[in-house]
Amino acid sequence: MARRDALWPQVMSLWQRVSSIWKSLIQILIHGCVIDSSRLLKRKRPKSGHTAKDQMATIPHCLYCFEALSSTLLRRDALTLSEVEDSWIRYGEDAPLEGETGSDLPVLNVPILPAVSRLRASSPSSASTSSTPSTLSTTSSSSALGDSKSSSKTSLFSFGRHTEPGPLRTYEEHPLFITWNTVNSRGHKTLRGCIGTFEPQALESGLRSYAMTSAFEDTRFSPITKYELNHLSVTVTLLLNFTPCADPMDWEVGKHGLRLSFTDHGKRYSSTYLPDVAAEQGWTKEDTIRSLMRKAGYGGRTIDYKKINDLKCVRYEGKKASVEYSVWKEWRAWVDKQA
């Protein structure tokens, strides 16, 4: 009797742990997950389209940017955004989530977990992207992708049991920014190009256009070449919730992006930083304002920003997703294999 009483707390503790694990698995089944190359993010189950309330950037948006870039650099056919979204879901169906080794829990087939097991195998650490070892492959893009002359577009919807394309999609228009970074062997990212627009864009054409523009026309950098492809990562940021600031300090570091504009001696100045820039640089609000003035090309004393009468700021938010080349390469190889 005494022994049973002594074991009871251990039994209850074990039961609580098992219950917690099952609750987590149920949440995964309900909400799904996607990868931002260095960590797992909870996301809603993929939908056939986007509504005004569904303004999140997605992994397929990033894959589509790689499609646009590789179609030029590697002279290959690119899939449409709808085809990318369909194939990403089907790719996930071929990548079920496996139970941990030695676990008594059953293996679960989770169709909305694309490449989770693949990425775990190639990227064991879950630290931040600035310090995590990169999952990028050192294999050249041309040899890895095969340089096939045949188009994958006509064969995308003949995947055995999947014989029909998904429903016709409709997309909301969004202001957006596309950012290309190079990633070294230690996972450190270096800006390679970043261009976007505050004018709402049709999603498919906007992603394609600004993926190319940021890769080839950012005047701060030389155009991206095919030899850099396997060292790239891309981030898509969809912008929303634009609000005029009551004053230059009326915004939050880490939450808001900032668009600054003013006139001095008849010359108009304007610049912006996306929501994550100030936090990543460790800037205060004043640091950010002064840096924006320099970025805009202002040559005066930025410390005197309060003396500029028509200084205007607009804050906004951004929903972003990121993908490294290795993720795109593995998914694209799978798509090509279906042909």
Side-chain angles (χ1 to χ4, degrees):
M1 186 71 176
R3 183 179 179 184
R4 185 182 65 180
D5 291 341
L7 289 175
W8 184 249
Q10 299 180 30
V11 172
M12 290 301 296
S13 177
L14 179 61
W15 172 253
Q16 290 173 356
R17 291 177 61 187
V18 171
S19 298
S20 177
I21 291 172
W22 276 108
K23 287 179 181 178
S24 298
L25 290 173
I26 291 171
Q27 289 298 313
I28 290 175
L29 285 169
I30 294 174
H31 298 292
C33 291
V34 295
I35 306 298
D36 77 339
S37 299
S38 63
R39 58 186 181 276
L40 299 178
L41 297 177
K42 288 185 179 180
R43 288 293 306 270
K44 296 181 179 179
R45 188 180 183 89
K47 301 178 181 179
S48 61
H50 300 272
T51 66
K53 293 183 180 180
D54 183 19
Q55 295 180 311
M56 300 290 289
T58 67
I59 297 303
H61 294 163
C62 299
L63 297 175
Y64 183 65
C65 290
F66 266 115
E67 282 290 294
L69 182 62
S70 66
S71 68
T72 297
L73 296 180
L74 302 181
R75 300 180 182 274
R76 61 180 295 151
D77 292 314
L79 304 181
T80 66
L81 179 57
S82 294
E83 289 171 338
V84 170
E85 290 176 327
D86 282 338
S87 66
W88 179 249
I89 292 175
R90 293 165 186 173
Y91 177 56
E93 292 174 350
D94 283 356
L97 180 66
E98 298 180 358
E100 298 294 335
T101 302
S103 173
D104 292 329
L105 297 176
V107 174
L108 299 178
N109 292 325
V110 184
I112 315 300
L113 293 173
V116 168
S117 59
R118 294 179 173 90
L119 290 176
R120 282 178 175 172
S122 59
S123 180
S125 173
S126 61
S128 66
T129 54
S130 61
S131 58
T132 304
S134 173
T135 63
L136 298 180
S137 170
T138 56
T139 306
S140 67
S141 57
S142 58
S143 61
L145 295 172
D147 288 336
S148 174
K149 295 182 180 180
S150 63
S151 171
S152 300
K153 295 177 69 174
T154 58
S155 62
L156 181 61
F157 298 117
S158 57
F159 292 171
R161 69 180 184 275
H162 303 291
T163 58
E164 295 295 332
L168 182 65
R169 287 163 169 77
T170 56
Y171 300 98
E172 294 291 318
E173 294 186 346
H174 296 283
L176 54 85
F177 272 74
I178 306 297
T179 305
W180 293 102
N181 288 285
T182 54
V183 188
N184 67 16
S185 59
R186 296 184 178 181
H188 177 73
K189 292 185 176 182
T190 302
L191 182 64
R192 194 62 181 80
C194 180
I195 294 180
T197 178
F198 292 103
E199 295 297 324
Q201 302 289 306
L203 189 58
E204 182 164 2
S205 60
L207 290 173
R208 181 176 62 251
S209 174
Y210 282 93
M212 304 294 281
T213 301
S214 59
F216 300 131
E217 299 181 25
D218 190 329
T219 57
R220 297 171 295 178
F221 309 97
S222 60
I224 290 175
T225 69
K226 66 179 181 180
Y227 304 105
E228 300 174 85
L229 187 60
N230 64 331
H231 298 292
L232 291 176
S233 72
V234 66
T235 298
V236 173
T237 307
L238 303 184
L239 310 182
L240 65 157
N241 297 337
F242 289 83
T243 306
C245 297
D247 59 70
M249 300 292 113
D250 183 26
W251 60 284
E252 295 182 32
V253 173
K255 178 180 180 180
H256 295 119
L258 199 64
R259 184 182 186 183
L260 176 147
S261 61
F262 62 96
T263 302
D264 185 66
H265 292 89
K267 183 176 180 180
R268 188 70 176 169
Y269 298 90
S270 178
S271 61
T272 190
Y273 280 135
L274 295 176
D276 54 352
V277 172
E280 287 180 353
Q281 298 299 320
W283 291 339
T284 65
K285 294 181 181 181
E286 182 171 311
D287 292 336
T288 306
I289 296 295
R290 295 177 63 181
S291 180
L292 280 170
M293 293 175 70
R294 288 191 292 269
K295 182 181 179 182
Y298 182 64
R301 288 167 51 87
T302 59
I303 197 171
D304 295 330
Y305 70 91
K306 294 180 181 179
K307 297 180 181 179
I308 299 177
N309 294 327
D310 71 336
L311 182 68
K312 297 178 181 178
C313 296
V314 175
R315 67 175 186 256
Y316 58 88
E317 297 176 42
K319 305 299 182 181
K320 70 176 185 177
S322 301
V323 159
E324 291 187 13
Y325 168 81
S326 59
V327 179
W328 173 79
K329 183 188 72 171
E330 186 172 331
W331 161 80
R332 196 54 162 89
W334 179 89
V335 170
D336 290 340
K337 185 177 180 180
Q338 308 313 304

